[in-house]
Amino acid sequence: MKTLCFAAGCLAIATPALAETPVLDVLTYDSFVSEWGPGPAIEKAFEAECGCDLRFTPAGDGAALLARLQLEGARTEADVVLGLDTNLTAAARKTGLFAPHGQTPDLSLPVPFTDADFLPYDWGWFAFVHGKSLTAPGDFKALAASDLKIVIQDPRSSTPGLGLLMWVKAAYGDQAAQIWADLADNIVTVTPGWSEAYGMFLEGEADMVLSYTTSPAYHLIAEQDDSKAAAVFAEGNYLQVEVMGKLAASDQPELADRFLAFMLSDAAQSVLPVTNWMYPAHVPAEGLPKGFETLAQPAKSLLLSADEAEALRGPALDEWRAALAR
């Protein structure tokens, strides 16, 4: 509205409002938006092509995203959630907050992947990372029988922590409770998230830390440090597939769709290996960064379906708590 004033008085004239820049809110985990994570580069690249304001909201570690969504429900201001994994998608779907993505991307995962509501953007094998001077155990039983000290993450707040529960359950089934009982005295502490655990390992407070087979790539590429390795276990290493989804109540549905598609483009996928230190869900045309060819390659991949993981999460958590409470 514009007001014109003359000697005889003032006249209000309707005028077009200036177009506002659309805002896309993405709820994700802390490390994604850190200065060394992929968030800053993703934000700059997407904003350059969307003419929008991309806003990341960090919410702790990956599993904390689901808890926040369950708490906020339809009141959430997020348009997109990025950072759940397949151990949480069944529970996330039950909230009724997500809309189908309607996309059929070309994926490069080691296992088939189909989900109407969630799209993968990266993946990796969980592994215990250690210094190369250490002779690493070859399975969970050997780890439990050793004097090695490990740091793990809390499965209630961390997707790696939950992934470890699913790993033990997928590998040992009904024997999982005994594995946890045997591992209890190896565990130095349980941290809320990955960053705290990995920091303790780097500070020498543990011999091994729950992380990924790709973690040594960070030290090799970013620090020119070839002293770290990841243990491959005979039972197989459990896969983490990180996913993103669009909220049904988003007031920017087309922009959310564009962001999901962008995250699977070469522009975004080429950023993830050297910032999130995971394998891209779609290998970009330029291939993987130099150094990734040196990483450990598990011969066996373990992955429970989303529904299996949801059904086993409660019992596995009870087994873990009981073992660590002794």
Side-chain angles (χ1 to χ4, degrees):
M1 189 72 69
K2 182 165 68 175
T3 303
L4 299 179
C5 292
F6 304 92
C10 296
L11 177 65
I13 302 176
T15 58
L18 293 175
E20 293 186 0
T21 301
V23 176
L24 186 73
D25 288 299
V26 177
L27 183 67
T28 188
Y29 47 83
D30 288 352
S31 62
F32 194 91
V33 299
S34 67
E35 61 180 342
W36 46 266
I42 295 292
E43 181 178 4
K44 181 179 179 180
F46 185 63
E47 287 183 345
E49 73 168 49
C50 74
C52 68
D53 181 9
L54 176 60
R55 296 180 184 174
F56 287 115
T57 299
D61 213 331
L65 299 177
L66 177 59
R68 177 161 174 166
L69 282 175
Q70 290 171 327
L71 178 64
E72 293 181 346
R75 295 181 293 107
T76 181
E77 295 181 358
D79 300 294
V80 171
V81 175
L82 183 149
L84 300 173
D85 68 13
T86 56
N87 293 323
L88 295 170
T89 51
R93 200 183 332 270
K94 286 180 181 178
T95 66
L97 298 174
F98 289 88
H101 55 72
Q103 303 190 30
T104 54
D106 179 23
L107 301 175
S108 307
L109 303 180
V111 295
F113 188 94
T114 303
D115 193 305
D117 297 322
F118 300 99
L119 285 164
Y121 61 91
D122 68 15
W123 65 275
W125 285 286
F126 289 119
F128 285 94
V129 172
H130 58 89
K132 282 187 174 179
S133 60
L134 180 86
T135 300
D139 57 32
F140 278 107
K141 291 182 177 180
L143 174 58
S146 75
D147 294 327
L148 296 173
K149 297 304 179 185
I150 62 174
V151 182
I152 64 173
Q153 298 85 21
D154 193 324
R156 294 163 295 188
S157 58
S158 164
T159 52
L162 179 57
L164 179 58
L165 258 63
M166 296 297 101
W167 186 0
V168 173
K169 202 68 178 168
Y172 288 97
D174 293 340
Q175 300 177 44
Q178 185 59 52
I179 295 295
W180 279 114
D182 295 341
L183 281 172
D185 61 354
N186 298 92
I187 300 170
V188 174
T189 192
V190 177
T191 63
W194 175 89
S195 298
E196 301 95 325
Y198 208 81
M200 290 184 66
F201 164 69
L202 293 179
E203 291 167 6
E205 297 184 43
D207 301 302
M208 307 177 77
V209 61
L210 177 64
S211 194
Y212 301 88
T213 61
T214 46
S215 296
Y218 164 75
H219 301 286
L220 180 63
I221 297 171
E223 301 179 334
Q224 293 75 54
D225 174 6
D226 191 26
S227 66
K228 306 296 188 295
V232 171
F233 277 10
E235 306 98 322
N237 288 59
Y238 197 85
L239 278 173
Q240 181 179 47
V241 181
E242 294 195 295
V243 301
M244 52 191 174
K246 177 177 68 172
L247 276 298
S250 169
D251 59 1
Q252 297 288 344
E254 293 83 8
L255 195 54
D257 288 338
R258 286 183 64 183
F259 178 75
L260 296 181
F262 172 80
M263 282 299 299
L264 285 164
S265 70
D266 280 12
Q269 292 287 289
S270 62
V271 168
L272 295 172
V274 293
T275 53
N276 225 30
W277 303 101
M278 297 280 276
Y279 288 103
H282 168 75
V283 176
E286 64 190 34
L288 295 173
K290 181 175 174 55
F292 268 64
E293 76 281 358
T294 68
L295 300 178
Q297 297 286 319
K300 183 178 181 181
S301 298
L302 301 176
L303 182 65
L304 297 170
S305 72
D307 289 339
E308 288 173 328
E310 174 66 5
L312 290 172
R313 184 155 56 108
L317 188 58
D318 289 343
E319 292 168 351
W320 175 82
R321 275 195 290 231
L324 268 62
R326 294 175 185 172

